[in-house]
């Protein structure tokens, strides 16, 4: 898998995922599991939606 998630986007995705997961736990709702998706895409630095749309925010070494 090619990297298509940049460093800033990775931090935002993981942060948002943790917040969603924590809100789900606080509300005792299974909806909090939706937070796993941004955590996973941030951790792997690959997003299938970005690949489908042709978005590549990964910084290249110069």
């Amino acid at each position: 898998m090619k990297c298509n998630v940049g460093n800033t986007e990775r931090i935002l995705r993981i942060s948002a995922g943790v917040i969603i997961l924590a809100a789900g736990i606080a509300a005792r709702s299974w909806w909090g599991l939706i937070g796993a998706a941004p955590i996973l895409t941030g951790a792997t630095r690959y997003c299938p939606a970005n690949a489908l749309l042709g978005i590549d925010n990964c910084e290249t070494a110069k």
Side-chain angles (χ1 to χ4, degrees), residues 1-60:
M1 290 185 295
K2 183 180 174 271
C3 170
N4 66 2
V5 174
N7 197 36
T8 304
E9 185 180 1
R10 179 178 66 93
I11 292 168
L12 290 173
R13 284 176 182 261
I14 292 173
S15 299
V18 169
I19 290 169
I20 294 168
L21 196 61
I25 291 170
R28 296 183 183 194
S29 172
W30 288 101
W31 285 100
L33 290 178
I34 293 173
I39 292 172
L40 183 64
T41 58
T44 60
R45 297 191 73 178
Y46 177 77
C47 178
N50 281 4
L52 185 65
L53 296 171
I55 299 170
D56 185 2
N57 294 324
C58 196
E59 296 86 15
T60 57

